[in-house]
Amino acid sequence: MLDTILVPYDGSDHSQRALSCAIQLADSTEPVTIIVLHAVQVVDSSDPSFLVAMKMAEASPLNLKDARSMFDQYIVEHEKEVKERIGEYFSSLPDNIDIKIVVVEGKPQEVIKEYAEDDQNEIKCIIMGRRGLGAIRGALGSVSFSVLHNVDLPIMLVR
Ligand code: ATP
Ligand code: MG
């Protein structure tokens, strides 16, 4: 049974429609958990400017503890933002559906793969947008492309 559905969410209309689709699919009397997963990439260590930023940080009074609490705050802000954006769904949600918001730091396609394939999360299928916030035209975005080709689970792409 598709009782745990993962909806990778970037705030785009496509991902919003993917969430609506998940709610419609879950429309039964059986309990269903929809996990709305949002990945935020705080640093990209493959980006050359990251090294420059690291050098600058060495010379700044910012210590690791400050950085940790700034990061935690950043994640909390993102959780709030996602909750606000999808808030309308909570008021009219059938009793059998539970929505959980998860915000994880990292590259979206990697975060999604790791979360979806972790047995502990018991994900049965993924519903996501074909495209997201990116401006480039085409059938698929880089995140949906990567998930489609690298994650071994049933996947539904929503236009
Ligand atoms: P690109 O990012 O390659 O410029 P795009 O933004 O149009 O293209 P994708 O990023 O692949 O397309 O987005 C497709 C879907 O992937 C989104 O609708 C959403 O479901 C998911 N997605 C994209 N970014 C994230 C993210 N940061 N966290 C969680 N899910 C995401
Ligand atoms: Mg994108």
Side-chain angles (χ1 to χ4, degrees), residues 54-104:
M54 287 290 285
K55 282 272 168 236
M56 285 164 73
E58 275 170 25
S60 89
L62 184 78
N63 63 34
L64 262 181
K65 205 164 139 253
D66 288 339
R68 184 74 239 169
S69 80
M70 271 165 70
F71 176 74
D72 290 346
Q73 188 54 34
Y74 188 73
I75 294 287
V76 169
E77 293 297 327
H78 271 273
E79 264 165 17
K80 254 201 251 158
E81 219 176 289
V82 173
K83 190 149 192 176
E84 267 167 34
R85 278 211 64 145
I86 65 172
E88 59 184 285
Y89 290 110
F90 286 97
S91 51
S92 56
L93 215 55
D95 286 347
N96 65 308
I97 302 178
D98 188 24
I99 295 190
K100 201 173 130 193
I101 297 168
V102 177
V103 178
V104 178

Side-chain angles (χ1 to χ4, degrees), residues 109-140:
Q109 43 271 60
E110 287 168 9
V111 166
I112 296 164
K113 181 175 165 63
E114 197 168 314
Y115 195 94
E117 289 179 347
D118 185 339
D119 288 343
Q120 282 180 23
N121 297 327
E122 298 180 291
I123 303 299
K124 305 294 178 356
C125 74
I126 300 174
I127 304 181
M128 64 193 296
R130 272 169 179 256
R131 296 236 48 144
L133 288 171
I136 308 158
R137 290 283 102 203
L140 281 181

